[in-house]
Amino acid sequence: MRGSRLKGVPMVSNVIVGLGETGLSYARFLAARDEAFVVLDDAVRSDRLALLRAISPDATVGPIVGDVISVAKKIYVSPGVPLGLPVLADHTTHDRLFGDVQLFGQIVQAPFVAVTGTNGKSTVTQLFHDIAKKQTGRVALGGNFGTPCLDLLSSDVDLYVLEVSSYQLELANNLAADVAVLLNLSADHLDRYSSEQAYFKTKFAIYNNCRSAVVNRAISCSLDPSIRVVSIGMDEADGDDEFALLGDAITLSGEVLLKQDELKLSGRHNLLNIQAALAIGLLFDFDMSTMLEVVKDFSGLPHRSEFVAHIGGVRYVNDSKGTNPGAMIAAVSGEASERNVHLIAGGVSKSADFARLQDTIGRYIKRAYLIGDAAPLLYSALPEIDCAIYTGLPDALKDARNIADSGDVVLLSPGCASFDQFTDFAARGETFRQIVERFES
């Protein structure tokens, strides 16, 4: 083991499994309480080890081994570490395993919002954070997006806004959020979960013991009848506390609030995300007119249906964060105007099922430019579309530029993870942006 030698294994109280961003936040959390800990990780990056040494110079670091885990009193598991790992599997039903979000919920003193869903989480948390800053005191944003939640804890914060992933919910069965939000569900992370239903069940844990909820009417769920529920949807509805659509307008209880052409945010699918942010605000009794002004000025986040450029009548959109088929479907449907989308897709499939792509978005795709490990799978899933497989994003984007006509959209929405050709989705999106910017020069 690196660092100080592990002596007297039975004396180990705290073990951190995984030294990513969350693992480092566990280290800061424990060090602030003068509690010693051991860190286990099979592939420690040098930059993260340096950060750990700044927190605790003498912390022991070693590979993930069962003998250390078996004697630990508390095991702090990073979200990226599967609970099905053999050395952890025997402990998942015991109270020795801790996740950062559940730990946060047990400690936090101020109200907090917890947002999950297959897609759109970051957009909603950022938008509601911006809304809340106009109407309350100090607001802290983080979780799966941005700052790890344990690093946010402070007596100065009046309201916390958290994005929560399915991985985090695996150890957060009693989160008790003041407002819980499940935006949408589509199959994802099937390389980690045994089935689509297992993944969905994990997501539903967001509602456990919540004090109020935002519910998508397209998702069937059963909640405590004593809590207040506000619903959202892409359908028409005019009941009390129901956000809905009427044409291209967002409504509340049947009254029009704003129209899509008043927004800076791109894509029709984002109308649901806006509804969710407004619904959270409604549950906090925020002023609606002030919320709408923030919504109108919100242009979105990088790599999420992000407008990059308009060149020769062609619109270029970066949706590199679209790492599953559901996100791809939402982005294509949101950006399309009949059959005018040049879709760049592919990467690592994460065992995703692409079978419904032809039926759901085939009518919008003018041509598909496929890259990465999943390119052959996507090619097979789009039998009625003009498709070609490319060695990488630069070649695909160059061809898309040459083929696209005025009025078309060149959309990077991979429907896959990025780590076959890029370090992460942000690097993939930045590559797309840089190439498009060179087109302009």
Side-chain angles (χ1 to χ4, degrees):
M1 285 195 170
R2 293 177 290 274
S4 59
R5 289 180 59 82
L6 187 62
K7 297 179 180 179
V9 169
M11 301 301 294
V12 174
S13 293
N14 303 303
V15 171
I16 298 170
V17 185
L19 192 59
E21 292 300 322
T22 302
L24 289 167
S25 75
Y26 286 138
R28 286 186 286 269
F29 175 81
L30 293 170
R33 288 157 177 77
D34 293 323
E35 294 189 36
F37 55 85
V38 170
V39 177
L40 305 183
D41 193 311
D42 288 336
V44 178
R45 283 175 23 185
S46 59
D47 57 335
R48 289 176 177 164
L49 183 60
L51 291 170
L52 177 66
R53 291 288 172 244
I55 299 166
S56 179
D58 298 324
T60 297
V61 183
I64 300 174
V65 289
D67 59 344
V68 178
I69 290 173
S70 64
V71 299
K73 293 181 179 178
K74 295 181 179 180
I75 306 165
Y76 299 87
V77 185
S78 297
V81 178
L83 295 184
L85 213 63
V87 294
L88 291 176
D90 292 339
H91 307 284
T92 55
T93 58
H94 300 281
D95 58 5
R96 295 192 299 131
L97 260 60
F98 293 84
D100 65 328
V101 169
Q102 182 66 25
L103 193 58
F104 172 92
Q106 294 170 355
I107 296 170
V108 68
Q109 297 297 309
F112 72 98
V113 176
V115 180
T116 196
T118 305
N119 301 302
K121 301 182 292 295
S122 299
T123 297
V124 172
T125 52
Q126 183 66 64
L127 176 54
F128 178 69
H129 169 266
D130 294 355
I131 286 171
K133 284 199 306 181
K134 295 286 187 180
Q135 306 212 31
T136 189
R138 184 179 173 192
V139 185
L141 170 70
N144 186 56
F145 167 63
T147 305
C149 59
L150 293 177
D151 288 339
L152 297 175
L153 288 167
S154 169
S155 59
D156 296 331
V157 175
D158 299 296
L159 175 64
Y160 295 90
V161 185
L162 301 185
E163 174 185 318
V164 184
S165 72
S166 61
Y167 295 176
Q168 291 171 312
L169 285 168
E170 292 171 7
L171 289 173
N173 294 320
N174 296 288
L175 188 53
D178 291 271
V179 179
V181 186
L182 176 54
L183 294 169
N184 48 56
L185 286 174
S186 61
D188 198 10
H189 301 300
L190 296 182
D191 52 346
R192 174 148 170 164
Y193 295 100
S194 60
S195 67
E196 182 179 284
Q197 291 306 312
Y199 167 68
F200 290 172
K201 181 180 179 181
T202 303
K203 285 291 195 183
F204 277 116
I206 197 81
Y207 288 130
N208 290 354
N209 296 320
C210 67
R211 297 175 176 87
S212 61
V214 176
V215 173
N216 185 336
R217 288 186 296 277
I219 300 173
S220 177
C221 60
S222 178
L223 299 179
D224 182 344
S226 68
I227 68 170
R228 185 180 177 189
V229 174
V230 177
S231 73
I232 60 175
M234 299 295 276
D235 55 348
E236 293 186 16
D238 58 7
D240 291 342
D241 287 348
E242 289 185 337
F243 285 87
L245 292 186
L246 183 61
D248 66 348
I250 293 175
T251 65
L252 172 60
S253 303
E255 298 294 324
V256 172
L257 296 178
L258 79 168
K259 296 183 178 180
Q260 188 173 4
D261 61 11
E262 299 178 75
L263 304 171
K264 292 182 179 178
L265 192 60
S266 176
R268 183 176 174 82
H269 61 292
N270 274 314
L271 296 178
L272 185 73
N273 295 331
I274 291 169
Q275 290 180 42
L278 293 173
I280 301 167
L282 187 67
L283 288 166
F284 280 105
D285 295 321
F286 287 171
D287 176 70
M288 181 60 71
S289 61
T290 305
M291 288 200 291
L292 293 177
E293 288 304 313
V294 175
V295 167
K296 291 175 184 177
D297 196 48
F298 183 71
S299 57
L301 293 168
H303 315 300
R304 297 159 175 88
S305 289
E306 175 194 17
F307 170 73
V308 176
H310 204 267
I311 305 171
V314 177
R315 178 180 172 87
Y316 291 81
V317 178
N318 167 24
D319 190 52
S320 182
K321 186 61 173 68
T323 57
N324 56 71
M328 179 198 293
I329 290 168
V332 171
S333 303
E335 295 292 342
S337 174
E338 298 181 349
R339 190 184 289 271
N340 70 327
V341 174
H342 294 258
L343 175 66
I344 301 175
V348 178
S349 71
K350 301 182 293 181
S351 301
D353 183 0
F354 300 116
R356 63 194 184 108
L357 295 182
Q358 181 66 59
D359 290 341
T360 53
I361 57 175
R363 63 186 180 276
Y364 302 126
I365 301 173
K366 198 170 187 178
R367 193 170 194 269
Y369 307 74
L370 308 177
I371 61 175
D373 293 349
L377 295 174
L378 287 162
Y379 191 98
S380 298
L382 296 168
E384 300 174 26
I385 302 300
D386 179 15
C387 298
I389 295 177
Y390 295 83
T391 56
L393 179 56
D395 288 341
L397 189 48
K398 180 181 178 181
D399 236 17
R401 178 200 185 189
N402 292 334
I403 295 171
D405 298 316
S406 180
D408 288 348
V409 179
V410 174
L411 172 65
L412 171 66
S413 189
C416 297
S418 59
F419 50 82
D420 56 341
Q421 296 182 331
F422 300 91
T423 55
D424 54 26
F425 73 86
R428 179 170 60 190
E430 284 302 320
T431 298
F432 178 87
R433 187 207 312 274
Q434 290 167 9
I435 295 171
V436 172
E437 288 174 351
R438 288 199 294 271
F439 292 165
E440 290 185 291
S441 60

